[in-house]
Amino acid sequence: MLRLAGARLLDDRDYPAVRAALAADPVGSCMVSARVEAAGLDPWRLGGELWAADSRPVRAGRLTGLCFAGPNLIPLRGNASALRSFADRALRRQRTCSSLVGPAPQVLGLWDELSAEWGPAREVRGDQPLMALEGDPLVAADPQVRTVRPHELDRYLPAAVAMFIEEVGVDPRAGDGGASYRARVSELISTGRAFARFEDGEVVFKAEIGAMSARVGQIQGVWVHPDRRGGGLGTAGTAAVVNRLVHGLGRTASLYVNGFNAPALAAYRRIGFQQVGQYATVLF
């Protein structure tokens, strides 16, 4: 198969074109937009690199292919030729990303290019509806769901670990004893983006706002204690986080969910979420 010369590393001169590309799909690009808005395009501050598919400078201010390479590899747009150029650049280095995630056509197309050398994947989740809600939730929000306070980290962390193991299939404490995961959860708490309902000092519902751009906030880590499932805590709790995003922070609420998770899909639709795209994830 013919390989292209490789994708081009973007820099601050490309910032207007990058912002235009991200603004064209604010929900789908939320994870990358949040980083770019906070850090610009400098790889050191961005925590990764942004690649364009064309090795030449951007013409007419338009990017036909765009990919973020950092803790996750996120191909946001690009045709087959663009994906081959991203794969070419990715394969020049050792894989360090923990997943390949983003719009399903780009993720699955890029994985086709990478799988021979990066495979086998631990899991490929090809059907993940991307959902959004701009207004009020259609169900009542749980008034007992609130932001987690910094001194509650040790009470919140076991629920976060349990959610991660259920969702991702690995223990986030592996490798460094949980120090990096604890730091990440602590950051979410300190910035007011971790939410929970506590009963007798124990978390029975939790969720977080992960990536948050100027227009969109992405809800993640929704979890209900196994003993309390089926009673509506997840639906009402998520509605409370939606209220915080829409009314408190002025953002569109978004999330993506595994297509095989029928109960979660049904709950999000009851809340009022509508599907606006299709994501896929390749887990390593």
Side-chain angles (χ1 to χ4, degrees), residues 28-122:
S29 66
C30 176
M31 289 185 285
V32 176
S33 294
R35 287 177 173 267
V36 170
E37 290 169 5
L41 302 188
D42 176 73
W44 180 259
R45 290 181 288 115
L46 188 63
E49 297 178 347
L50 270 176
W51 303 339
D54 198 332
S55 61
R56 298 165 295 178
V58 175
R59 292 183 175 181
R62 296 185 61 190
L63 289 169
T64 56
L66 183 64
C67 182
F68 173 76
N72 304 298
L73 189 60
I74 309 174
L76 288 176
R77 56 167 60 189
N79 58 18
S81 295
L83 298 177
R84 285 196 293 272
S85 74
F86 297 150
D88 179 80
R89 189 174 183 104
L91 291 171
R92 295 177 192 175
R93 63 184 76 186
Q94 183 178 6
R95 180 185 64 78
T96 57
C97 59
S98 61
S99 70
L100 177 58
V101 61
Q106 283 68 42
V107 166
L108 298 177
L110 184 54
W111 181 236
D112 283 344
E113 298 289 333
L114 295 171
S115 58
E117 295 191 42
W118 279 12
R122 182 164 56 82

Side-chain angles (χ1 to χ4, degrees), residues 117-255:
E117 295 191 42
W118 279 12
R122 182 164 56 82
E123 186 178 355
V124 177
R125 299 177 177 178
D127 176 19
Q128 295 181 308
L130 177 67
M131 311 183 84
L133 175 56
E134 296 182 356
D136 293 331
L138 302 181
V139 301
D142 185 344
Q144 295 189 53
V145 170
R146 59 170 175 80
T147 54
V148 181
R149 301 167 186 132
H151 73 272
E152 295 172 319
L153 172 61
D154 288 331
R155 285 196 285 163
Y156 182 81
L157 192 60
V161 169
M163 175 281 304
F164 195 97
I165 293 172
E166 286 185 35
E167 175 63 24
V168 182
V170 296
D171 191 329
R173 298 165 297 185
D176 64 358
S180 59
Y181 187 67
R182 181 185 177 91
R184 171 58 178 158
V185 172
S186 179
E187 178 190 11
L188 288 169
I189 292 174
S190 66
T191 55
R193 291 190 286 161
F195 301 82
R197 172 173 171 153
F198 291 89
E199 292 182 0
D200 298 323
E202 185 178 25
V203 174
V204 296
F205 165 85
K206 67 162 288 293
E208 297 139 4
I209 301 170
M212 188 164 67
S213 70
R215 297 173 62 182
V216 179
Q218 190 175 86
I219 298 172
Q220 66 178 32
V222 178
W223 180 86
V224 176
H225 192 286
D227 294 342
R228 300 296 305 278
R229 292 175 185 175
L233 282 180
T235 303
T238 303
V241 182
V242 169
N243 274 339
R244 175 61 179 158
L245 268 170
V246 173
H247 296 294
L249 298 172
R251 265 78 166 180
T252 295
S254 77
L255 51 81

